[in-house]
Amino acid sequence: MSGRDMALALRRAPVVVAVDSGADRARALGQMPCAVIGDLDSISDAARAAMPAGTVHLLGEQETTDFDKALRSVAAPFVLGLGFTGARMDHGLAVYNALVRHPGRHCLVIGPQDVVFAAPPELHLALALGDRVSLFPMAAVTGDSRGLEWPLQGIAFAPDAMIGTSNRAVAREVTLRFDGPGMLVILPRNRLDAAITALTGISPPWPDAPAPSAVRGR
């Protein structure tokens, strides 16, 4: 997570919540988090001591990741996730798992080139012609679309079957509809504001999944 990323996020979401050792990175970028959430196994002693009383929240269970813990604990119109698209593939996959487990949280994860979020039942995106619109199913999902070069109608998406990498916008408004939760939408990073606008005001669309009990994570 760079200072540029932090500045971009703060212009849109000015409240900083850190996930475990993310408190150290936030402080290094000149931001004091209003809260730290996680199992607190990686935050430094210095960062923990610097936090005001009552702002460090230990969730010690090890069945979910710290990202999941934070996402389900925060109530906000939308959440921007920074620093979750690093080099480790297992961490990245865990983040995508959490997004589709909590699709009503309207969380947008910002990466170096992309922004990814869980699709609601219906989405209207203001895009530029030729914008990349990738769709990756984390569950069996069907849907329909308007404004895409390759329409979604009649396609049975699934993680082990059809996916929707590198579709393109052929209209300035792209409409997506899905019959259930589980689809990730991946847009170019410069369409972050379009994604926020499309998600803002949508009521929580799908019920959150129960906390997992069979997968151990950090």
Side-chain angles (χ1 to χ4, degrees):
M1 176 174 57
S2 67
R4 174 174 170 262
D5 291 339
M6 179 66 81
L8 178 146
L10 287 173
R11 288 194 296 270
R12 296 157 175 83
V15 178
V16 178
V17 174
V19 176
D20 210 332
S21 62
D24 290 270
R25 186 59 185 155
R27 291 180 67 238
L29 294 174
Q31 297 297 320
M32 175 61 77
C34 72
V36 180
I37 300 171
D39 61 14
L40 307 183
D41 66 347
S42 57
I43 185 174
S44 71
D45 291 340
R48 189 165 183 169
M51 293 295 300
T55 61
V56 177
H57 303 280
L58 170 64
L59 299 181
E61 53 87 2
Q62 289 294 300
E63 284 71 42
T64 60
T65 64
D66 284 337
F67 177 79
D68 189 296
K69 292 177 176 72
L71 185 57
R72 70 178 190 249
S73 300
V74 171
F78 64 90
V79 174
L80 301 182
L82 298 178
F84 297 106
T85 58
R88 283 187 54 173
M89 290 186 179
D90 57 345
H91 283 180
L93 288 169
V95 167
Y96 303 145
N97 173 273
L99 288 179
V100 297
R101 290 186 64 80
H102 304 288
R105 301 291 174 158
H106 297 326
C107 178
L108 304 98
V109 175
I110 302 171
Q113 299 184 53
D114 305 299
V115 57
V116 56
F117 56 93
E122 184 168 333
L123 189 68
H124 300 274
L125 291 161
L127 301 176
L129 299 180
D131 274 351
R132 171 172 48 85
V133 181
S134 286
L135 302 170
F136 196 94
M138 298 288 284
V141 180
T142 61
D144 64 79
S145 64
R146 292 198 307 270
L148 289 180
E149 183 168 0
W150 295 283
L152 308 186
Q153 287 83 336
I155 299 175
F157 292 96
D160 61 348
M162 183 65 72
I163 60 174
T165 304
S166 297
N167 211 326
R168 285 194 291 268
V170 294
R172 296 195 180 278
E173 181 176 276
V174 170
T175 298
L176 305 173
R177 297 186 184 90
F178 299 101
D179 67 343
M183 183 66 82
L184 294 177
V185 181
I186 306 171
L187 301 176
R189 177 176 160 129
N190 63 359
R191 295 297 175 247
L192 172 62
D193 288 336
I196 292 173
T197 298
L199 290 174
T200 299
I202 296 176
S203 298
W206 315 108
D208 280 2
S213 58
V215 178
R216 183 177 178 87
R218 295 183 60 189

